[in-house]
């Protein structure tokens, strides 16, 4: 089962990341297709743990939970991507750069915590 789950998560992660890249077309300091792929891949794999199996089985496992969780996470990531910076307030360049660095650090910490939690959920499922 491990390899079938890995295959489903990999396939759905690749497809949803490709769709995400085509639809969003974002560029930014934190934006990385590799990071998006890792989150969608691990989230869809952990979705097998979170959701009760439903749908039509394929090769002995239900593939729809992988797709649903991967789609939810890709939509959440799409909502995070900002295509244009805010121009509402004028801020000094040094303050803006400091704020930008803090945001990048916060997103980096959040990314690694999320990856750790998803990997832990996957490991617990197979133990």
């Amino acid at each position: 089962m491990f390899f079938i789950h890995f295959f489903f998560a990999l396939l759905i992660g690749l497809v949803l990341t490709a769709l995400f890249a085509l639809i969003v077309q974002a560029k930014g300091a934190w934006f990385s297709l590799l990071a998006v792929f890792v989150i969608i891949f691990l989230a869809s794999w952990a979705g097998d743990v979170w959701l009760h199996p439903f749908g039509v089985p394929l090769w002995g496992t239900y593939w729809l939970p992988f797709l649903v969780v991967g789609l939810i996470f890709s939509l959440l990531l799409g909502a995070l991507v900002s295509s244009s910076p805010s121009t509402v307030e004028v801020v000094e360049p040094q303050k803006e750069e400091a704020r930008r660095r803090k945001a990048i650090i916060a997103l980096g910490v959040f990314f690694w915590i999320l990856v750790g939690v998803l990997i832990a959920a996957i490991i617990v499922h197979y133990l």
Side-chain angles (χ1 to χ4, degrees):
M1 280 299 184
F2 174 83
F3 292 110
I4 294 173
H5 291 172
F6 178 81
F7 172 74
F8 278 133
L10 182 67
L11 181 67
I12 289 174
L14 288 172
V15 169
L16 290 178
T17 302
L19 287 173
F20 183 87
L22 289 174
I23 293 171
V24 175
Q25 297 178 351
K27 294 175 179 68
W30 76 272
F31 184 74
S32 166
L33 278 181
L34 180 62
V36 170
F37 169 73
V38 167
I39 290 173
I40 294 173
F41 168 69
L42 291 175
S44 65
W45 196 357
D48 182 52
V49 175
W50 298 338
L51 297 176
H52 182 71
F54 60 91
V56 179
L58 183 64
W59 296 314
T61 191
Y62 294 91
W63 59 273
L64 207 49
F66 291 96
L67 180 64
V68 168
V69 174
L71 189 59
I72 289 170
F73 269 79
S74 60
L75 290 173
L76 287 172
L77 289 173
L80 285 175
V81 176
S82 174
S83 60
S84 62
S86 174
T87 57
V88 175
E89 62 183 62
V90 178
V91 181
E92 295 178 18
Q94 290 88 10
K95 288 183 181 178
E96 184 64 29
E97 181 63 27
R99 193 171 86 180
R100 186 177 140 301
R101 269 190 255 124
K102 287 179 185 177
I104 290 171
I105 290 170
L107 283 171
V109 169
F110 175 74
F111 172 79
W112 288 110
I113 290 172
L114 179 63
V115 166
V117 167
L118 291 172
I119 289 173
I122 292 166
I123 290 172
V124 165
H125 174 69
Y126 291 106
L127 291 180

